[in-house]
């Protein structure tokens, strides 16, 4: 969001909480929001969307993946794990399912064509077609959300941390499907925060037999890491040797760089580098992905409609030629 949009959205949510916003500083309003009852906060269904710079977030660069790939870890840090789930975009899937927008593949394609130099390449990586039904399109789009916003964020952090000779860095992918998912096929998607629940939640009696081995291996590896600072059998992550440990239903798999190179997340990152260099992931995240998610809200839907109108006009000219 732009600073103006961010401020407007925050004040809108504060007003919905019954907080007086006229003639008050943002800090005073923010303190009252923090003190609001948690149930009232939940009822807002407010998904945070920070901008690059505003009175609420004064630093222009810290909340970016570019910053992460340039930031070294603290000098006292011996080792760390950077982890994401293979369908963290489920959180966006959940929000989008509650909206009334249709023709999702067409909307996403129009945004890509308006804001990318090689839009068709991204659509091809994820096999997004305007013929896709909305449920199918949303599943694919939220995989883009996952790979750029979560996998990409982890890789950005690893790139920054790799500059330190002291810190040993490990990369983990959690790929055990959530057996309790409601909106997505059960057991097929490693959804947002399910990795944390599976690690700490006392729900073993509810786990299907086919994913127990993977969950137990996941716990054993993380607990052993907490004791030793080493993640077996994973090599430390380096830019030239991107070693990754993947936890699946049947156990653990150690992927070498050559095995990762042709996966969708890595292909998306390669595409992003060609689109915008070190700013690439932020460009995709802010200008394409977050814009798509934001304009699912009726308050901002007109912005997507403007882009779609130009997209349709452009296609008409091409077809007419």
């Amino acid at each position: 969001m732009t600073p103006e949009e961010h401020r407007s959205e925050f004040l809108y949510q504060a007003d919905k909480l019954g907080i007086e916003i006229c003639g008050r500083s943002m800090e005073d309003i923010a303190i009252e929001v923090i003190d609001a009852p948690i149930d009232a906060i939940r009822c807002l269904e407010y998904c945070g969307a920070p901008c690059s710079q505003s009175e609420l977030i004064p630093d222009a660069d810290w909340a970016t993946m570019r910053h992460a790939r340039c930031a070294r870890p603290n000098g006292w840090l011996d080792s760390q794990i950077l982890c994401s789930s293979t369908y963290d975009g489920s959180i966006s899937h959940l929000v989008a399912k509650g909206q009334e927008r249709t023709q999702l593949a067409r909307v996403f394609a129009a945004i890509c064509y308006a804001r990318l130099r090689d839009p068709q390449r991204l659509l091809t990586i994820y096999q997004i077609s305007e013929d896709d039904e909305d449920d199918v399109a949303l599943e694919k789009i939220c995989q883009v959300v996952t790979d750029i916003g979560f996998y990409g964020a982890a890789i950005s952090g690893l790139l920054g941390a790799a500059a330190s000779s002291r810190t040993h860095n490990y990369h983990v992918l959690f790929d055990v499907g959530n057996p309790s998912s409601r909106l997505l096929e059960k057991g097929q998607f490693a959804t947002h925060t399910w990795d944390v629940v599976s690690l700490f939640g006392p729900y073993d009696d509810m786990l299907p037999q086919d994913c127990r081995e993977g969950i137990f291996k996941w716990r054993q590896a993380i607990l052993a890491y907490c004791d030793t600072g080493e993640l077996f059998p994973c090599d430390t992550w380096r830019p030239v040797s991107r070693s990754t440990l993947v936890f699946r239903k049947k156990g653990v798999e150690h992927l070498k760089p050559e095995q990762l190179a042709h996966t969708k997340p890595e292909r998306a990152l390669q595409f992003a580098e060609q689109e915008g260099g070190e700013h690439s992931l932020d460009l995709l995240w802010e200008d394409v992905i977050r814009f798509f998610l934001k304009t699912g809200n009726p308050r901002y839907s007109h912005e997507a409609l403007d882009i779609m109108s130009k997209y349709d006009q452009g296609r008409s000219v091409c077809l007419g030629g």
Side-chain angles (χ1 to χ4, degrees):
M1 288 186 171
T2 66
E4 292 75 20
E5 289 173 337
H6 186 221
R7 179 185 178 89
S8 174
E9 181 67 24
F10 182 77
L11 292 176
Y12 175 75
Q13 300 295 339
D15 185 57
K16 284 167 64 177
L17 287 170
I19 294 171
E20 179 59 48
I21 61 175
C22 293
R24 302 181 66 194
S25 71
M26 295 295 281
E27 182 176 355
D28 287 346
I29 297 170
I31 290 172
E32 207 165 330
V33 169
I34 291 169
D35 290 338
I38 189 63
D39 286 342
I41 296 289
R42 290 191 179 115
C43 287
L44 291 178
E45 297 180 345
Y46 175 37
C47 183
C51 64
S52 57
Q53 185 175 19
S54 71
E55 184 181 347
L56 291 166
I57 304 178
D59 193 312
D61 191 50
W62 75 269
T64 66
M65 285 180 266
R66 177 191 173 278
H67 176 81
R69 67 188 289 171
C70 298
R72 294 190 179 192
N74 288 312
W76 47 260
L77 185 62
D78 292 325
S79 70
Q80 63 176 343
I81 294 174
L82 279 82
C83 174
S84 63
S85 294
T86 53
Y87 205 68
D88 268 319
S90 60
I91 185 67
S92 298
H93 187 281
L94 179 66
V95 173
K97 287 291 285 187
Q99 297 170 342
E100 297 181 356
R101 180 160 62 172
T102 59
Q103 297 182 300
L104 300 183
R106 180 166 159 259
V107 175
F108 189 76
I111 294 170
C112 288
Y113 270 88
R115 300 192 162 189
L116 297 174
R117 289 184 295 174
D118 187 5
Q120 190 55 49
R121 184 177 168 193
L122 183 65
L123 299 174
T124 299
I125 290 172
Y126 291 94
Q127 299 178 311
I128 297 171
S129 165
E130 289 190 38
D131 295 330
D132 289 336
E133 297 289 338
D134 283 340
D135 285 347
V136 173
L138 183 60
E139 181 182 311
K140 294 176 181 179
I141 292 166
C142 288
Q143 189 64 62
V144 186
V145 174
T146 297
D147 295 345
I148 299 299
F150 294 87
Y151 182 91
I155 296 299
S156 296
L158 287 162
L159 285 168
S164 169
S165 59
R166 172 185 174 87
T167 304
H168 295 281
N169 304 290
Y170 300 97
H171 184 218
V172 167
L173 282 176
F174 182 79
D175 192 31
V176 181
N178 184 347
S180 302
S181 179
R182 293 184 179 182
L183 296 178
L184 292 159
E185 185 178 352
K186 289 185 178 181
Q188 297 303 308
F189 297 87
T191 56
H192 190 58
T193 71
W194 158 234
D195 52 345
V196 179
V197 172
S198 65
L199 185 63
F200 296 113
Y203 309 114
D204 289 359
D205 59 316
M206 300 170 63
L207 290 176
Q209 192 65 40
D210 68 349
C211 74
R212 291 189 178 193
E213 182 178 355
I215 294 298
F216 296 158
K217 290 285 187 182
W218 163 241
R219 291 176 184 168
Q220 290 167 3
I222 298 301
L223 290 173
Y225 168 79
C226 292
D227 181 45
T228 66
E230 296 181 355
L231 187 66
F232 183 81
C234 191
D235 299 330
T236 55
W237 191 95
R238 294 180 177 86
V240 295
S241 57
R242 300 187 175 198
S243 179
T244 298
L245 206 60
V246 184
F247 290 90
R248 307 190 194 279
K249 284 184 178 181
K250 298 301 181 182
V252 60
E253 183 178 4
H254 184 200
L255 296 184
K256 298 292 186 178
E258 57 271 19
Q259 295 171 287
L260 285 166
H262 301 293
T263 62
K264 284 182 181 178
E266 284 295 325
R267 289 168 64 198
L269 265 57
Q270 292 163 16
F271 163 75
E273 286 290 330
Q274 293 183 359
E275 281 283 327
E278 66 179 13
H279 296 278
S280 56
L281 293 178
D282 296 304
L283 180 150
L284 276 173
W285 182 248
E286 295 293 341
D287 291 357
V288 177
I289 296 168
R290 287 210 74 118
F291 184 81
F292 171 83
L293 298 173
K294 181 188 80 169
T295 52
N297 185 322
R299 295 178 62 215
Y300 303 105
S301 60
H302 65 280
E303 297 179 38
L305 291 174
D306 291 343
I307 284 180
M308 289 175 65
S309 176
K310 294 176 182 177
Y311 175 65
D312 290 338
Q313 289 173 11
R315 288 199 310 172
S316 297
V317 169
C318 291
L319 291 173

